[in-house]
Amino acid sequence: MEETDALKWTRRFMSIAEHIATWSRDPSTKVGAVIVGCGAASKKVIGMGFNGFPRGVDDLPGRYDHRPTKYAMIVHSEANAILDARGHDTTGGCLITTKFPCSSCAKLIIQAGLLSVISPSVDPTNAGDQRWMEDYQISLLMFMEAGLSAYALTESGLVAHNFEAAKI
């Protein structure tokens, strides 16, 4: 089956997010995100970001190695993409990210007026995803209540994330 034009563009934007993720200096987790406008700007990146320390803060390897310090200092890719989109209207746009958003980023995504999130699928059997499952469920719950769509980009196309699993 031939892919739709929209799915081809989604895959292109995910490729951009994957490339942007390589800019992160975090040795354990590299995440990238792009925000795509809606309407006439639907094929235009209006914001992009990767996970890293704030501007001007030293990217010292020891800070990434010490998790409490890393978590206190790091700015997630989604937040950086939203900040990068300043001056553009993000209302109705889509965030495409290489990792499903945490609950802190989910709040920012909602407040930015974005209407959809696309990420890889979450695998509850994967140790990296398992550690964050409760937080992912909170993100899904907030997306559901705020009226956002959340999709996993798979080999076969876009699959809606399971909002039923988010009932808390």
Side-chain angles (χ1 to χ4, degrees):
M1 178 183 238
E2 191 171 320
E3 286 189 341
T4 65
D5 190 51
L7 185 56
K8 286 179 187 177
W9 277 100
T10 299
R11 290 194 192 284
R12 289 175 185 141
F13 291 130
M14 182 62 81
S15 292
I16 294 169
E18 289 167 349
H19 177 73
I20 292 166
T22 67
W23 301 345
S24 173
R25 292 189 180 171
D26 184 343
S28 66
T29 309
K30 296 183 180 299
V31 184
V34 296
I35 296 174
V36 180
C38 66
S42 65
K43 293 180 182 174
K44 181 179 177 190
V45 173
I46 60 173
M48 58 185 171
F50 58 91
N51 59 313
F53 293 156
R55 266 188 210 131
V57 174
D58 292 332
D59 269 326
L60 303 173
R63 291 178 173 175
Y64 287 107
D65 295 339
H66 186 252
R67 283 198 188 273
T69 302
K70 173 179 137 173
Y71 290 157
M73 296 178 82
I74 204 149
V75 180
H76 288 184
S77 65
E78 301 92 334
N80 273 324
I82 290 167
L83 290 168
D84 186 53
R86 285 177 299 200
H88 295 280
D89 186 7
T90 56
T91 305
C94 177
L95 182 125
I96 300 168
T97 180
T98 61
K99 190 167 180 68
F100 191 78
C102 70
S103 60
S104 292
C105 288
K107 292 182 279 191
L108 297 174
I109 291 164
I110 293 164
Q111 290 299 90
L114 296 165
L115 286 184
S116 60
V117 174
I118 298 171
S119 70
S121 48
V122 175
D123 180 2
T125 63
N126 174 292
D129 284 345
Q130 271 180 351
R131 183 170 44 144
W132 298 103
M133 284 308 294
E134 186 176 330
D135 199 58
Y136 292 160
Q137 289 174 322
I138 293 168
S139 296
L140 270 175
L141 177 67
M142 288 191 291
F143 289 156
M144 180 180 65
E145 290 181 3
L148 273 77
S149 301
Y151 299 98
L153 181 59
T154 68
E155 298 256 339
S156 58
L158 291 175
V159 178
H161 279 289
N162 183 1
F163 282 114
E164 284 304 309
K167 299 281 170 123
I168 298 173

